[in-house]
Amino acid sequence: MRAYAKLREKPDMPWSLDEISQFLDQQGIRPSFQRLKIFEYLVNERTHPTADEIYEVLRKDIPSISRTTVYNTLRLFLDKKIIQMVNIEKNEARYDATLSWHGHFKCLKCGQVYDIEIEELKLGGLAGYQVLEKHLDLKGLCPSCCQGK
Amino acid sequence: MRAYAKLREKPDMPWSLDEISQFLDQQGIRPSFQRLKIFEYLVNERTHPTADEIYEVLRKDIPSISRTTVYNTLRLFLDKKIIQMVNIEKNEARYDATLSWHGHFKCLKCGQVYDIEIEELKLGGLAGYQVLEKHLDLKGLCPSCCQGK
DNA sequence: TCTCATATTTGTAATCGTTATAATATTAAA
DNA sequence: TTTAATATTATAACGATTACAAATATGAGA
């Protein structure tokens, strides 16, 4: 996984459309308007949205956009390995433009998905296995939802 | 999570139907034949089967069994917290009668799901969160499928 | 044992997220 | 400009799961 965000001058600033366009080009993805906007949403919001959430948000800007385009584009981004899929919840694929190794926490009350920092992970008995993907998914109550529980 | 297996005299021996019957009773689950056989399959095979795999296997013994019964029973077992759901693969819920903390590895070639020992896990920034569930899911190639790759 | 209430099982239809398909529109190349 | 390749769109199809309602089995009390 490439932590491409770190190559940027100001990693925490929102990506401009120009920057996204260049980036997609570099990755061999033709930067159509729909693709730009979908990547923009993922990389600048970082809320781990579902395909349908992306569709509903982008519909305001691009009334003609179709669900299929969103799904197609997300699959393209996955194939090109510039985003990852988050399967913390059954029957609800989410998408994440952060590729560096981190975990996810889903609040069972408010439904929000948070990034979790993994300081150390030691696994046993993996000799002979070739690990290509790692996912750490937590569920529970987030700080705001714990309040006065 | 109760590691009930460890309470047994010989933890590695297969569970008898009598023993399963007693166990379900203790958990407030009436031990019908279908429930006995579904739990028997989960606890003695430990292959992390899907609902459909359980259905297809049990159909040989119980030709009248329906998919709905398998789904209902698995949901009951989940509610009573005597099994856990494994969502390592999208659109493919698997079920596991081992409740002690461990990870899962799915081989992308043969499809088998293995248990992985977690020696240490240290997370950061979880202050204020109440963690109720943890899942560690890996994908890659298992030793047999790596051979002479 | 019989009866009744309750729990369980079953088959079918419905649901929901996602994918397949095919027509249309857009872009790039000749 | 013409043509070919690519991208987008709407619709239909798919597959895993759930909802529903009827049928069956079970257990407690008379």
Side-chain angles (χ1 to χ4, degrees):
Chain A
M1 293 191 190
R2 247 166 328 234
Y4 49 74
K6 290 184 181 151
L7 302 174
R8 301 173 68 231
E9 284 186 18
K10 298 178 179 177
D12 292 334
M13 292 295 275
W15 291 42
S16 70
L17 283 185
D18 269 0
E19 196 176 3
I20 295 168
S21 186
Q22 273 183 37
F23 175 70
L24 293 183
D25 243 338
Q26 286 162 19
Q27 306 299 320
I29 299 169
R30 196 192 292 176
S32 72
F33 187 59
Q34 286 86 338
R35 289 170 178 178
L36 284 174
K37 296 299 280 182
I38 291 170
F39 191 81
E40 183 191 33
Y41 188 73
L42 285 170
V43 83
N44 286 341
E45 302 296 329
R46 295 182 186 272
T47 55
H48 317 85
T50 63
D52 216 61
E53 280 164 25
I54 298 171
Y55 170 70
E56 290 298 342
V57 168
L58 294 194
R59 231 143 71 92
K60 294 166 192 161
D61 280 8
I62 318 168
S64 73
I65 203 171
S66 80
R67 260 191 195 83
T68 305
T69 297
V70 176
Y71 278 107
N72 285 346
T73 303
L74 291 169
R75 187 141 38 117
L76 176 66
F77 289 172
L78 288 172
D79 289 348
K80 297 289 187 177
K81 298 194 199 312
I82 64 170
I83 65 171
Q84 66 169 321
M85 190 186 283
V86 178
N87 279 317
I88 193 168
E89 193 70 69
K90 192 163 81 81
N91 287 345
E92 179 185 276
R94 294 174 172 275
Y95 300 87
D96 189 350
T98 303
L99 297 183
S100 57
W101 170 226
H102 65 286
H104 293 108
F105 179 100
K106 173 160 183 172
C107 177
L108 296 172
K109 198 167 169 195
C110 68
Q112 210 180 322
V113 175
Y114 301 85
D115 286 331
I116 298 300
E117 183 192 349
I118 298 167
E119 294 178 352
E120 194 177 349
L121 174 64
K122 211 156 60 183
L123 301 172
L126 270 179
Y129 287 81
Q130 185 183 358
V131 177
L132 298 171
E133 277 184 50
K134 285 187 291 185
H135 302 277
L136 179 71
D137 298 320
L138 312 180
K139 295 188 194 181
L141 296 173
C142 74
S144 349
C145 290
C146 276
Q147 297 287 350
K149 149 196 88 84
Chain B
M1 292 191 191
R2 249 166 325 233
Y4 50 75
K6 289 183 181 152
L7 303 174
R8 300 173 69 232
E9 285 187 18
K10 297 180 179 176
D12 292 333
M13 292 297 273
W15 291 42
S16 69
L17 283 185
D18 268 2
E19 195 177 3
I20 294 168
S21 186
Q22 273 183 39
F23 174 70
L24 293 184
D25 243 338
Q26 286 162 19
Q27 306 299 320
I29 300 168
R30 197 192 292 177
S32 72
F33 187 59
Q34 285 87 336
R35 290 170 177 176
L36 284 174
K37 296 299 281 182
I38 291 171
F39 191 82
E40 182 190 33
Y41 188 73
L42 286 169
V43 82
N44 286 341
E45 301 297 328
R46 296 183 187 270
T47 54
H48 317 87
T50 63
D52 216 62
E53 280 164 24
I54 298 170
Y55 170 68
E56 290 299 341
V57 168
L58 293 195
R59 231 144 70 91
K60 294 167 193 159
D61 279 10
I62 318 169
S64 74
I65 201 170
S66 80
R67 260 191 196 82
T68 303
T69 297
V70 175
Y71 279 108
N72 285 346
T73 303
L74 291 169
R75 187 141 39 116
L76 175 67
F77 289 173
L78 288 171
D79 289 347
K80 296 288 187 179
K81 298 193 198 313
I82 64 169
I83 65 171
Q84 66 170 321
M85 192 186 282
V86 178
N87 279 318
I88 193 168
E89 193 71 70
K90 191 164 81 82
N91 288 344
E92 180 184 276
R94 294 174 172 275
Y95 300 88
D96 189 350
T98 304
L99 296 182
S100 56
W101 170 227
H102 66 285
H104 292 110
F105 179 100
K106 174 159 180 171
C107 178
L108 297 171
K109 198 168 170 193
C110 69
Q112 208 179 324
V113 175
Y114 301 85
D115 286 332
I116 297 300
E117 183 193 348
I118 298 168
E119 294 179 352
E120 193 175 351
L121 174 63
K122 211 155 61 184
L123 302 173
L126 270 179
Y129 287 81
Q130 186 184 357
V131 178
L132 297 171
E133 277 184 49
K134 286 187 290 185
H135 300 278
L136 178 72
D137 298 321
L138 312 179
K139 294 187 195 183
L141 296 174
C142 73
S144 349
C145 290
C146 276
Q147 298 285 353
K149 155 193 81 87

